[in-house]
Amino acid sequence: MLWETKRVLVAVKAYPNPSKKYGETVCVAGVDIDSGEWRRLYPIPFRDLDSAERFKKYSVIEVKVSKAKDDARPESFKVDISNKINVVDVYDTSNGWEKRKKVLLPTVSASLCEVYGESKSKDKSLGMFRPHNIGFHWKVARKKDQQERKSCYAQLSFYNKRMEAIEPIPYDFRYSFYCQGEPGCAGHTLPIIDWEIGQAYRQWRGRYKDENTLLEKIKETWLDRICAEKNDIYFFVGNWQRFRDKFMILGVFYPPAGTG
């Protein structure tokens, strides 16, 4: 296997998931600083990393990777977890998120409808675009998914006694939206799998004892604050390996509007 070192601006960190093959992992994606192309980095056992390796979103990490053999999507690269992940920089929000925008905005697609088209013609599996007329919703998560997650963690804990399961979030949070510049767009509703929204639910329960209040506070943050009119809104999206036509929202990019 041919390994190479890449520098990637991390834009996406998904909520941790147990895997019988890789243990507990976090799906990470971002843009290769040198090539300007999207990269999916997997597996990354985030909670098992040394503290110096635990990168934040919008960190530039130096990581040794090889093109994934068990994932044909062009953006997917396997991480050599035996090598250290180096955090070489963190792009802050100064000057209207200038450093972040310089790397990310050249990758923007016109719409999710365009991303869907490119997923069929070019096998595109990661991207970002501007949504329009955004809504926010939630529904109770499927019991089957919760049970599978619990079973997988039970197996991992048998081999790693220090591994404590990160609880599943009992709700599926979703954005609904339309594509700008696509008159025939019938609208889309996609699940959100960003780590931050899962963490918000877990941490805010101590502050908001009433479940409905908690859910409304999450909506207020992810819709009214993040997707406010004062911001330029872009969604990061990626598809499932098994179901290439099904995309998820991996995060939101929301620099202040009118900053170039």
Side-chain angles (χ1 to χ4, degrees):
M1 183 173 285
L2 180 63
W3 297 99
E4 56 183 326
T5 299
K6 290 190 178 294
R7 293 185 305 143
V8 176
L9 174 64
V10 175
V12 168
K13 283 171 62 181
Y15 196 70
N17 262 315
S19 162
K20 292 180 180 179
K21 183 176 181 180
Y22 295 115
E24 183 194 81
T25 64
V26 171
C27 181
V28 172
V31 174
D32 186 318
I33 293 292
D34 300 310
S35 71
E37 297 176 327
W38 277 93
R39 296 288 181 250
R40 177 183 292 102
L41 306 177
Y42 192 87
I44 292 185
F46 195 83
R47 288 202 293 163
D48 287 335
L49 297 178
D50 293 338
S51 58
E53 297 179 272
R54 293 188 180 183
F55 52 86
K56 301 176 180 179
K57 283 172 65 172
Y58 303 112
S59 296
V60 177
I61 62 172
E62 209 169 58
V63 61
K64 186 163 283 190
V65 301
S66 182
K67 182 64 189 75
K69 292 184 177 180
D70 57 353
D71 186 344
R73 292 174 295 179
E75 301 93 342
S76 295
F77 281 73
K78 186 174 183 179
V79 175
D80 181 3
I81 58 176
S82 67
N83 273 269
K84 184 177 180 180
I85 295 174
N86 294 310
V87 180
V88 298
D89 203 350
V90 179
Y91 286 2
D92 61 23
T93 60
S94 61
N95 298 319
W97 299 30
E98 180 180 9
K99 284 186 175 182
R100 300 177 183 182
K101 290 193 295 186
K102 186 176 180 180
V103 176
L104 293 169
L105 293 189
T107 74
V108 170
S109 297
S111 65
L112 179 61
C113 289
E114 181 176 282
V115 173
Y116 276 138
E118 292 180 340
S119 72
K120 295 177 180 177
S121 63
K122 302 178 183 178
D123 210 14
K124 183 181 180 73
S125 68
L126 288 169
M128 64 184 291
F129 62 91
R130 271 181 165 162
H132 175 64
N133 195 17
I134 304 167
F136 183 90
H137 319 274
W138 62 82
K139 68 175 184 178
V140 176
R142 294 196 318 161
K143 287 186 177 180
K144 181 181 178 182
D145 294 338
Q146 309 282 300
Q147 290 168 349
E148 289 176 353
R149 183 183 176 93
K150 184 177 180 180
S151 173
C152 201
Y153 264 121
Q155 177 178 313
L156 296 181
S157 298
F158 180 80
Y159 296 103
N160 184 356
K161 302 301 182 183
R162 297 177 302 167
M163 176 63 69
E164 294 183 7
I166 289 186
E167 65 186 294
I169 304 304
Y171 297 94
D172 290 330
F173 297 107
R174 298 169 179 266
Y175 276 124
S176 61
F177 57 93
Y178 289 84
C179 290
Q180 294 194 54
E182 296 282 355
C185 178
H188 309 276
T189 300
L190 300 184
I192 308 166
I193 66 165
D194 187 8
W195 191 333
E196 291 176 354
I197 199 167
Q199 284 294 90
Y201 177 86
R202 295 175 64 229
Q203 293 175 0
W204 293 358
R205 284 178 305 179
R207 190 185 314 170
Y208 307 109
K209 303 297 184 182
D210 177 73
E211 189 80 353
N212 288 331
T213 301
L214 169 58
L215 293 170
E216 288 296 334
K217 287 295 181 181
I218 290 174
K219 178 180 179 180
E220 180 182 307
T221 298
W222 263 263
L223 183 62
D224 300 335
R225 185 177 69 82
I226 290 178
C227 296
E229 290 185 3
K230 66 178 183 178
N231 299 328
D232 279 334
I233 310 302
Y234 302 84
F235 285 165
F236 299 124
V237 291
N239 66 2
W240 297 94
Q241 181 179 357
R242 290 177 58 195
F243 307 105
R244 304 292 181 85
D245 61 335
K246 296 186 183 300
F247 278 77
M248 304 158 286
I249 292 173
L250 308 177
V252 186
F253 187 62
Y254 53 103
T259 54

